[in-house]
Amino acid sequence: MTCFNQSEAVDMAEQLGFTIRQRNIHPLDFILSLIAVLGGDGNSDTQADLHRKFNELTGLKVSYRSWANQAKKDALPALILWLWVQCLEIFSRKVMAFDDSSPFAEFEHILIQDGSSQAVYDALKDAFPGRFSKVSPAAVELHTTMDLLNDNLVRVQLTEDTRSERACLPPLPTSMAYMLMLMDAGYFEMELFAAIDDREGSFICKAPQGINPVILSAVREDGKNLNRYKGKKLKDVRSGFPKDQCIDLDVEWPDFKGWTFRLVVRWNDQKQKWVFIITNLDRVEFTLSEVLQAYRLRWQIELIFKEIKSYSGWHRFNTKSATLVFSLILMSFVVVTLKRYLAHAAQANLYETGGIEEISTHKVMKSGTHLFGNVVSALMNHGKSLVSCIKKLLSFWEQNAKREHPARDGCTGRTRLGLCSLGGA
């Protein structure tokens, strides 16, 4: 694992100002001890626990004051961010692909954009103001981009909870050919859709309930043309839409003449409301059902949020140090990236031995914590026994972290559209 190189970490720590003079607390050991805690069994929830874990793993007798002085340095988040970027460059690769028969096989990147908030210690309300001041006066918002085919994060922006999702959307690349973006209603904006379309990109986005475009054409799920809706405003006629079938519309907004987009309409009987999905995918190539199924793939980013917030440990720490909170959040990204990479390595081992089952990243995050700790300890011990520790961890996951219901996944889950693992780690 070349990103955990002691000399490179020391050089970067000196450049960033984290290391002023060489002491017993080496920057890489300090970081690896945090990884061990966040990726471990969840028994640590205070700064004192972090300090004790550092001494346990290093065999040193560093005082709490000396450890805390390092933990509160402003350069620590930058050092961890540097490490995470190194991890992304080394560990991110294509591990998922669509079957050749799927129309989605043409995409080289499927980017899922979303945001998620998390409450932090109330005393940090000035540094991280929350939207809901009475319930969570202090909170942060994680604005993230996931590449579905890499099955990992590619970008994260951490802000106070009061920032909107749309305001934190990263700049679009110059060319978006063979690229598909999946977004929820928080990113709905006609200017954005037009910009993606101009760059030859594709998108699927959930639309808010209040939209009211002009209907240019309407086709029922069974193929029947509904000419009576042509030229009408959506709000004026949607009450008459059939609830037992989806409808495929071509629509246009009065303020965006010349921009025609496709709007898929479905009735949600459980919530008793209409669901609107807007896209620029071609109707001939991508059926109405395939558009709806593809939007559901956006759920994969929610699983990463779950791993970050529930199984990477940082949310447990009640600390008044905004720097340490920021550092622990960034470190949780490192933990998720590293564990997902190792999960894909376990998947590759399964395929090489003739196995057809897929590894569950959810189970990986929850299990093997002791064995994962052994991997971290080996890294702290200059790589001694590292290969052996990794093999034991992967073997455990191969036996104990397989996806539970592969048949169900084929009917309602991510494999319904032909998306499957390559075992590409």
Side-chain angles (χ1 to χ4, degrees):
M1 296 184 177
T2 55
C3 56
F4 298 102
N5 182 283
Q6 187 75 258
S7 61
E8 289 183 7
V10 169
D11 290 343
M12 183 54 62
E14 291 176 349
Q15 291 180 38
L16 295 173
F18 179 78
T19 299
I20 306 300
R21 295 184 299 275
Q22 291 293 337
R23 298 178 181 273
N24 287 335
I25 302 179
H26 295 291
L28 185 60
D29 290 344
F30 189 89
I31 287 176
L32 286 171
S33 70
L34 296 181
I35 292 178
V37 171
L38 296 184
D41 54 18
N43 292 329
S44 303
D45 54 15
T46 67
Q47 292 187 59
D49 290 333
L50 295 175
H51 164 243
R52 283 189 288 269
K53 191 66 173 180
F54 174 82
N55 281 345
E56 174 191 339
L57 291 173
T58 60
L60 299 174
K61 298 180 180 179
V62 173
S63 69
Y64 176 77
R65 181 185 293 273
S66 297
W67 180 91
N69 286 338
Q70 299 297 104
K72 67 182 182 182
K73 284 185 176 180
D74 291 337
L76 179 58
L79 182 62
I80 296 173
L81 182 60
W82 166 80
L83 176 65
W84 185 51
V85 171
Q86 300 298 306
C87 288
L88 288 178
E89 291 180 353
I90 295 171
F91 297 147
S92 290
R93 61 195 68 192
K94 187 176 181 180
V95 295
M96 305 288 293
F98 285 92
D99 185 88
D100 289 341
S101 62
S102 170
F104 293 95
E106 71 178 65
F107 294 111
E108 297 175 358
H109 297 282
I110 298 181
L111 303 180
I112 308 175
Q113 182 72 31
D114 202 4
S116 181
S117 62
Q118 174 67 44
V120 294
Y121 195 46
D122 289 353
L124 296 172
K125 62 183 179 180
D126 291 333
F128 303 115
R131 283 176 293 170
F132 309 104
S133 56
K134 292 184 179 180
V135 179
S136 300
V140 294
E141 182 83 10
L142 310 178
H143 302 275
T144 61
T145 306
M146 172 189 183
D147 191 325
L148 179 65
L149 302 184
N150 287 1
D151 199 29
N152 222 324
L153 298 173
V154 295
R155 183 185 185 275
V156 171
Q157 182 178 0
L158 181 68
T159 70
E160 66 279 8
D161 191 35
T162 51
R163 292 277 294 276
S164 70
E165 292 179 336
R166 177 64 186 93
C168 295
L169 186 72
L172 299 178
T174 305
S175 173
M176 297 184 66
Y178 307 109
M179 187 179 296
L180 172 65
M181 289 187 68
L182 306 179
M183 301 168 285
D184 72 359
Y187 298 93
F188 183 91
E189 186 178 272
M190 297 307 300
E191 290 89 347
L192 171 62
F193 302 150
I196 294 174
D197 203 61
D198 273 341
R199 290 165 171 78
E200 299 182 326
S202 303
F203 68 88
I204 302 176
C205 181
K206 189 175 183 180
Q209 292 289 303
I211 62 169
N212 194 28
V214 176
I215 299 172
L216 304 180
S217 67
V219 181
R220 206 166 60 187
E221 190 173 2
D222 60 6
K224 182 179 179 180
N225 288 311
L226 302 177
N227 293 324
R228 63 183 178 274
Y229 298 132
K230 186 176 181 179
K232 304 291 182 62
K233 287 288 193 73
L234 179 63
K235 286 185 179 182
D236 295 338
V237 297
R238 68 183 185 183
S239 60
F241 286 172
K243 296 181 179 180
D244 59 340
Q245 291 195 55
C246 300
I247 302 179
D248 205 344
L249 308 175
D250 281 332
V251 297
E252 182 183 66
W253 272 259
D255 294 338
F256 279 83
K257 289 286 187 181
W259 290 101
T260 300
F261 293 113
R262 186 179 173 192
L263 187 69
V264 176
V265 183
R266 179 180 68 85
W267 175 253
N268 187 323
D269 196 53
Q270 183 178 2
K271 296 183 178 181
Q272 291 292 296
K273 65 178 183 180
W274 294 103
V275 176
F276 304 109
I277 305 294
I278 186 171
T279 182
N280 65 342
L281 292 177
D282 182 76
R283 184 177 288 107
V284 175
E285 187 177 0
F286 299 89
T287 67
L288 178 154
S289 176
E290 287 169 338
V291 170
L292 292 173
Q293 289 299 322
Y295 178 75
R296 291 179 180 178
L297 292 173
R298 199 194 64 81
W299 184 252
Q300 297 303 309
I301 201 170
E302 301 294 346
L303 300 181
I304 287 192
F305 286 143
K306 179 71 172 178
E307 293 170 12
I308 291 172
K309 296 196 289 186
S310 297
Y311 305 128
S312 297
W314 66 267
H315 70 285
R316 293 191 305 265
F317 293 91
N318 288 333
T319 173
K320 296 180 180 179
S321 170
T323 299
L324 183 55
V325 167
F326 194 14
S327 298
L328 291 172
I329 294 172
L330 291 173
M331 188 58 72
S332 70
F333 302 152
V334 176
V335 171
V336 168
T337 300
L338 179 57
K339 281 196 171 184
R340 281 194 164 229
Y341 169 78
L342 292 171
H344 299 145
Q347 182 72 71
N349 285 352
L350 265 181
Y351 281 175
E352 288 178 1
T353 57
I356 59 173
E357 302 94 339
E358 290 197 11
I359 297 295
S360 165
T361 55
H362 176 76
K363 290 183 179 180
V364 161
M365 291 300 297
K366 295 173 65 177
S367 64
T369 53
H370 174 71
L371 295 172
F372 180 77
N374 290 343
V375 172
V376 176
S377 296
L379 287 169
M380 297 182 75
N381 196 24
H382 307 289
K384 185 179 180 180
S385 303
L386 177 61
V387 174
S388 174
C389 290
I390 291 177
K391 285 182 177 180
K392 290 178 181 178
L393 176 61
L394 299 189
S395 177
F396 172 81
W397 282 336
E398 288 164 28
Q399 296 297 320
N400 299 279
K402 296 174 184 176
R403 293 181 71 87
E404 196 72 35
H405 303 288
R408 182 189 65 187
D409 291 341
C411 296
T412 60
R414 67 181 189 178
T415 59
R416 182 172 178 179
L417 285 173
L419 181 65
C420 58
S421 174
L422 297 175

